Amino acid sequence: GLVGSEMCIRDSNRIVPNKRPDQKKEILCHRVQKGDTLLSIAKKYAVTVDELCRYNHLERNSKLRKGQIIRYS
């Protein structure tokens, strides 16, 4: 089935819940599904492709992989 969005922080290659008290803003992530694009993820979460690129250190034409974790806030 589809996995929805999940709150996470990056800890090496693991995804762990965001429970750090020093984090001012929640870090919200999306697990890439087959067919997802930066544009479709941006539209889903009402952010811009440029914001996704900045949060994830990606280029606008980056290819996404199924299972990849994309931060959207």
Side-chain angles (χ1 to χ4, degrees):
L2 292 178
V3 177
S5 62
E6 54 191 90
M7 287 181 22
C8 62
I9 58 172
R10 230 191 235 273
D11 177 20
S12 308
N13 290 325
R14 294 182 306 134
I15 306 299
V16 296
N18 181 9
K19 297 205 188 309
R20 289 173 39 195
D22 60 329
Q23 292 273 211
K24 297 272 187 279
K25 184 174 181 180
E26 288 179 338
I27 295 175
L28 301 173
C29 300
H30 171 82
R31 187 179 305 272
V32 175
Q33 301 297 314
K34 183 175 180 174
D36 280 350
T37 64
L38 286 173
L39 182 59
S40 69
I41 295 168
K43 285 182 175 181
K44 181 174 184 172
Y45 299 109
V47 297
T48 66
V49 171
D50 287 332
E51 286 173 309
L52 289 180
C53 290
R54 193 168 62 247
Y55 294 147
N56 296 283
H57 310 289
L58 297 171
E59 298 295 325
R60 288 182 67 87
N61 61 352
S62 296
K63 298 282 188 232
L64 302 180
R65 300 177 316 278
K66 184 177 176 187
Q68 184 175 353
I69 302 299
I70 298 293
R71 176 180 165 191
Y72 62 89
S73 84

